[in-house]
Amino acid sequence: MDERSQMLANENIGKLLLKLSVPATFGMLVQAFYNLVDTVFVGRAYGIESVQAIGGIAVAFPIQMIGMAVSLAIGIGGASLISRRLGEREPEKADKTFANLILLSLLSSFLITGFGVFYIVPLLKIFGATDTILPYSLEYLEIILYGTVLFSLAMVTNSVARSEGNAKVAMNSMMIGGGLNIVLDPIFIFTFGMGIRGAAIATVLAQAIGVLYIARYFLSGKSTLKFRLPDLRPDRRIIEEVLAIGMSPFARNVSSSFMVIILNNLLAFYGGDIAIAVFGIINRLLMFTFMPMFGIIQGLQPIVGFNYGARNFERVRESVKLAILITTGMSVAGFLILYLFPEQLFGIFSGDLQLIAEGKSAVRIIVLATPLVGFQVVGGALYQALGKAKPSLFLSLCRQVLFLIPLVLVLPRYLELPGVWAAFPVADTLAFAVTLIMVIREFKLLAEARDMTVINEQTAVN
């Protein structure tokens, strides 16, 4: 057992979760910050047209999310499998899985780029681009699509690095990409006068440097996993298991994109371009609020996956409990900031007084159930790390498909635009209740498995 495996198996849970989560959290924060910066710089660059420019990014983003959903499915599904194989002391199978993930990443990203470029205008219209927003969305998205392979490789390899317990490398890769994007944004947007197209070019170039960094790590021999060209041969069983586990984050992100199709069209009907821009900004703010929680999750998953594979069920329970406490604290902090300072936050993006006023009322409704989100995030991640595909998929679909989409369709008929915003806290509350029931049940199963393992060990000794 190498040093990283020893760490996952034996180190104090609190210290271990901190060690793995802090780098991931910093990396996620930088990623979220550059998403904010993109929108801020674009909004400031277009002045009186800032509503349409911000709306352009808002409409393009859910199409990006579909590509991200595929990459997350590959990365998270593969990371879960690798962690468990390392816990079971089967490094050759872990190496084979790693190579298959790279193959899946390359194939899927080329398909997404080809399809997206060919159907870019119809896609943008489906996702709610109005005639005034469409030119901005088109300029931004066509550049982003050509960088799909870079985004995919970055997400997959970062997940793999975390799965072997090296969160620092994943953090450095994300911080390099995010930090460079923040530096390049004003250069391309303002200095070169490229506007929204410049924001997209800066993002793709920055991501390329981040990918080169993490590729160097895996090819240098410093990682626990070894990349070998013969392992690129597709293994049907590995691919099926990766996609089965990855179906949960895929479904969550695709359902989010599908929800945005409905949402943007409703927003255009009830509030026009300004309502679409408002939601685009809120989406960025919520991402920045939730990213630290996802950092905790990325630190948690290798601990849960490894110790579940090693049949150390008590460490699984301890790590999940601690993660719930931390993410709930983050949820409450995020709620307070968004609820108390909406005018100041919206003022960063645009000086449009109507945009700020409508954003203030919208965000204060949307975030009402945000304190419950931390528990939901941990609950969904638990099943992914355990490799339990069906309950993980159900929880992923629960909030978006079972609750949010029906509520978004029904409530505006009675409350108009405020009904769209009210759908979010109601859906979050219902999803929390379902997650709570399922996590309590899973904890009972883990306790039973722990007790059975102890009995078997005592019997073997006797």
Side-chain angles (χ1 to χ4, degrees):
M1 188 182 290
D2 67 15
E3 182 181 347
R4 293 193 190 102
S5 296
Q6 288 278 7
M7 175 186 71
L8 290 168
N10 300 313
E11 193 162 319
N12 173 269
I13 289 294
K15 184 179 178 181
L16 180 59
L17 185 59
L18 189 68
K19 183 184 292 185
L20 296 181
S21 296
V22 169
T25 300
F26 274 116
M28 297 296 282
L29 279 172
V30 171
Q31 294 279 313
F33 187 65
Y34 91 66
N35 279 324
L36 281 175
V37 166
D38 264 2
T39 309
V40 169
F41 282 142
V42 166
R44 291 296 176 182
Y46 283 90
I48 60 172
E49 297 177 0
S50 63
V51 169
Q52 286 73 33
I54 292 171
I57 293 179
V59 170
F61 185 68
I63 300 176
Q64 288 179 254
M65 286 287 291
I66 294 175
M68 291 169 60
V70 175
S71 302
L72 278 172
I74 297 168
I76 293 176
S80 173
L81 185 54
I82 288 170
S83 293
R84 285 181 282 120
R85 292 295 173 264
L86 293 175
E88 294 162 0
R89 301 187 184 184
E90 294 183 333
E92 294 82 8
K93 290 184 179 180
D95 292 341
K96 179 73 172 177
T97 301
F98 176 36
N100 271 242
L101 298 185
I102 299 298
L103 178 65
L104 285 172
S105 175
L106 292 172
L107 292 176
S108 63
S109 57
F110 289 140
L111 287 172
I112 290 166
T113 298
F115 182 85
V117 170
F118 191 78
Y119 293 105
I120 187 168
V121 173
L123 281 171
L124 287 169
K125 288 184 176 179
I126 289 170
F127 276 84
T130 63
D131 290 339
T132 49
I133 285 176
L134 182 62
Y136 299 97
S137 293
L138 190 59
E139 278 193 71
Y140 184 78
L141 185 62
E142 63 183 2
I143 300 297
I144 293 294
L145 283 171
Y146 285 114
T148 299
V149 65
L150 299 171
F151 294 108
S152 179
L153 286 172
M155 295 179 77
V156 170
T157 51
N158 284 337
S159 293
V160 171
R162 283 187 289 266
S163 74
E164 66 172 20
N166 201 334
K168 186 176 180 180
V169 167
M171 176 194 73
N172 289 341
S173 173
M174 295 173 73
M175 292 188 73
I176 288 169
L180 277 175
N181 190 70
I182 293 167
V183 172
L184 293 175
D185 256 342
I187 295 173
F188 281 92
I189 294 172
F190 298 108
T191 305
F192 295 161
M194 299 179 74
I196 197 168
R197 183 179 289 269
I201 293 172
T203 299
V204 172
L205 288 176
Q207 198 63 251
I209 303 302
V211 169
L212 288 175
Y213 168 82
I214 200 162
R216 182 175 177 272
Y217 164 73
F218 280 114
L219 296 174
S220 68
K222 295 179 181 178
S223 63
T224 300
L225 299 167
K226 303 295 182 288
F227 178 76
R228 304 180 184 89
L229 287 177
D231 287 339
L232 283 171
R233 181 179 298 174
D235 186 309
R236 184 173 60 84
R237 286 180 296 181
I238 289 175
I239 291 171
E240 287 178 352
E241 187 168 359
V242 166
L243 295 181
I245 301 165
M247 189 55 65
S248 170
F250 175 78
R252 181 174 60 248
N253 285 279
V254 168
S255 62
S256 293
S257 294
F258 179 67
M259 184 269 294
V260 170
I261 295 176
I262 298 169
L263 194 61
N264 279 344
N265 283 282
L266 285 170
L267 291 174
F269 179 78
Y270 288 108
D273 288 356
I274 200 161
I276 294 174
V278 163
F279 183 69
I281 293 173
I282 292 174
N283 214 8
R284 289 292 197 268
L285 292 172
L286 288 174
M287 282 182 62
F288 193 75
T289 302
F290 296 158
M291 282 301 183
M293 300 180 215
F294 291 126
I296 299 298
I297 293 310
Q298 290 176 358
L300 172 70
Q301 286 182 320
I303 302 172
V304 171
F306 184 95
N307 285 285
Y308 188 73
R311 301 189 64 77
N312 194 338
F313 302 114
E314 190 55 32
R315 280 177 70 81
V316 173
R317 282 162 51 92
E318 288 177 22
S319 58
V320 172
K321 287 178 183 177
L322 182 58
I324 288 171
L325 287 174
I326 296 171
T327 55
T328 299
M330 290 177 171
S331 298
V332 172
F335 162 75
L336 291 173
I337 292 170
L338 293 173
Y339 192 86
L340 295 175
F341 306 106
E343 291 177 81
Q344 293 86 339
L345 293 170
F346 270 81
I348 296 171
F349 293 88
S350 173
D352 189 295
L353 296 179
Q354 186 182 357
L355 179 70
I356 294 171
E358 293 198 19
K360 176 183 176 181
S361 60
V363 76
R364 282 185 165 170
I365 297 172
I366 286 177
V367 301
L368 287 174
T370 297
L372 306 177
V373 170
F375 185 88
Q376 295 176 53
V377 170
V378 176
L382 170 62
Y383 286 104
Q384 290 171 15
L386 297 180
K388 296 189 175 184
K390 289 182 179 179
S392 179
L393 176 61
F394 173 75
L395 283 180
S396 293
L397 293 174
C398 188
R399 177 184 181 269
Q400 303 284 8
V401 176
L402 296 183
F403 300 133
L404 186 55
I405 290 175
L407 286 165
V408 163
L409 289 171
V410 172
L411 292 182
R413 296 185 180 185
Y414 303 98
L415 303 174
E416 296 189 336
L417 186 58
V420 176
W421 310 134
F424 286 86
V426 177
D428 283 332
T429 304
L430 293 171
F432 169 79
V434 173
T435 306
L436 179 62
I437 293 168
M438 292 182 65
V439 169
I440 290 172
R441 179 180 177 276
E442 192 60 40
F443 263 50
K444 289 180 179 178
L445 292 175
L446 288 169
E448 291 170 3
R450 175 202 61 197
D451 295 341
M452 185 59 66
T453 300
V454 171
I455 292 170
N456 291 338
E457 288 175 352
Q458 290 175 346
T459 302
V461 170
N462 294 333

